[in-house]
Amino acid sequence: MKAIVVTDQAAGMAGMTLVERPEPEAAGNDVLVEVHASGFTPGELSWPSNWTDRLGRDRTPSIPGHELAGVVSALGYGTTGLSVGQRVFGITDWTRDGTLAEYVAVEARNLAPLPGDVDFTVGASLPISGLTAWQGLFEHGRLRAGQSVLVHGAAGAVGSMVTQLAREAGAYVIGTGRAAHRQPALSFGTQEFVDLDNDALEDVGGVDLVFDVFGGDIGQRSAGLVRAGGTLVTIAGPPEARPADGLAIDFVVESDRRQLGEIARRVRDGRLKANIGQVATLDDAVAAFNPTERVKGKTVIRVRP
Ligand SMILES: NC(=O)c1ccc[n+]([C@@H]2O[C@H](COP(=O)([O-])OP(=O)(O)OC[C@H]3O[C@@H](n4cnc5c(N)ncnc54)[C@H](OP(=O)(O)O)[C@@H]3O)[C@@H](O)[C@H]2O)c1
């Protein structure tokens, strides 16, 4: 099969190469999926799990990409819950070869059915960003209607999902980003926008929940914006500062079939818009991940036309 591989962390996305690889086999509780579309998260190549297996053994050259939409083509021993020919989407195992390939083997419990009226390209754009937003807002942030949320990177893949789900839940949403992100962020539903290059973050005042995707200086300053009893939720690693009278939680997204179903339902009925910046074929994927101009939104690789 065709696949994109990486061998050198230092080379980053420029080190991606299109190669021929043997098709993977479905192990116990796995499904083998014919990948139709694949999603890749910026930053993936810095995750240690991209380079090693669960025992820490080197597994390069590894296939990156951990989101997919496709069709189940085989079942491993003992696999239940999904069937051959079924449309699916979801997250693949962090420490195994990923989805920038024609086939991927993945534990069935990580995937959910993809409704027939949701396009594969849309399906592949949702799992990591949608589940991260859902889990950060509702499981870790315990968001309630009427609360205010500061969403960093509101025009990005995760931030745009956070914004839409928070608005639907009845929150007041303040988004941040670069100047050029103002219009996209407003179109996803932010009610105010802070241009981090030109506006003072501290002018936001107090909020009940900060959803941080940056860490660093912005993450630290954001801790001071959390009201008493509020929460700083971050997906950028352990927080370097904590709210004076609130919680700080960092987490890594987990697969969840029920939540994937909630996300698909919202896409079908128009409550949730995908945030796709560009679509490329597997043959053009390396160029697509190394663009000459900044791409707004997610890059999805359409593995099969
Ligand atoms: N812990 C987890 O479970 C988890 C899950 C998903 C993602 N992540 C991580 O979360 C981060 C965001 O992921 P994503 O998929 O949402 O990425 P993304 O689509 O690139 O979104 C990030 C957004 O923030 C903007 N941005 C970046 N740096 C900025 C700065 N200094 N000032 C203003 N705006 C800035 C980006 O703009 P530009 O494109 O112009 O830079 C982009 O619009 C990544 O590091 C990813 O690895 C973690």
Side-chain angles (χ1 to χ4, degrees), residues 16-305:
M16 290 177 161
T17 320
L18 182 66
V19 298
E20 279 291 324
R21 283 278 288 258
E23 273 177 32
E25 286 177 38
N29 300 322
D30 275 354
V31 285
L32 184 66
V33 181
E34 185 183 71
V35 180
H36 282 244
S38 164
F40 173 84
T41 299
E44 257 189 47
L45 300 187
S46 66
W47 304 344
S49 55
N50 194 65
W51 305 97
T52 63
D53 67 13
R54 291 177 68 196
L55 288 170
R57 294 175 301 209
D58 180 72
R59 63 179 185 84
T60 55
S62 54
I63 303 175
H66 288 92
E67 295 171 288
L68 69 79
V71 174
V72 175
S73 63
L75 304 182
Y77 178 76
T79 301
T80 57
L82 297 174
S83 51
V84 172
Q86 189 165 12
R87 298 172 100 246
V88 289
F89 77 128
I91 297 180
T92 62
D93 306 303
W94 307 124
T95 50
R96 296 171 75 183
D97 275 336
T99 62
L100 286 171
E102 290 179 300
Y103 291 89
V104 64
V106 51
E107 282 188 80
R109 64 180 175 170
N110 289 348
L111 304 180
L114 180 69
D117 55 0
V118 179
D119 184 76
F120 287 120
T121 305
V122 170
S125 76
L126 297 168
I128 289 185
S129 53
L131 289 174
T132 302
W134 188 282
Q135 290 164 17
L137 286 174
F138 305 128
E139 292 188 343
H140 304 292
R142 304 198 172 274
L143 180 70
R144 295 189 309 277
Q147 292 189 319
S148 53
V149 186
L150 177 67
V151 181
H152 285 311
V158 174
S160 57
M161 296 292 136
V162 175
T163 298
Q164 295 178 84
L165 291 173
R167 282 298 307 276
E168 187 199 336
Y172 184 82
V173 176
I174 304 163
T176 78
R178 304 183 198 281
H181 298 152
R182 183 181 297 274
Q183 273 319 312
L186 292 174
S187 78
F188 285 112
T190 61
Q191 286 141 300
E192 289 177 40
F193 183 80
V194 179
D195 165 359
L196 290 171
D197 294 327
N198 297 298
D199 303 335
L201 180 61
E202 285 66 21
D203 287 351
V204 163
V207 291
D208 298 300
L209 178 63
V210 172
F211 200 119
D212 183 28
V213 307
F214 299 141
D217 174 58
I218 294 171
Q220 282 185 31
R221 287 160 56 202
S222 300
L225 301 175
V226 175
R227 284 187 189 132
T231 309
L232 168 72
V233 171
T234 178
I235 58 169
E240 292 165 41
R242 295 177 170 269
D245 184 12
L247 293 175
I249 297 171
D250 72 295
F251 76 101
V252 174
V253 61
E254 291 177 0
S255 193
D256 186 297
R257 186 175 286 171
R258 186 189 64 78
Q259 292 170 5
L260 284 168
E262 293 284 354
I263 289 161
R265 195 138 51 89
R266 282 165 172 74
V267 170
R268 290 178 82 187
D269 64 23
R271 279 180 286 166
L272 198 61
K273 277 190 295 182
N275 184 6
I276 299 170
Q278 66 169 339
V279 180
T281 63
L282 197 54
D283 287 341
D284 295 332
V286 176
F289 288 126
N290 293 279
T292 47
E293 285 180 14
R294 248 195 181 106
V295 175
K296 294 195 199 83
K298 207 158 171 79
T299 295
V300 175
I301 302 306
R302 188 74 198 202
V303 178
R304 284 178 171 74

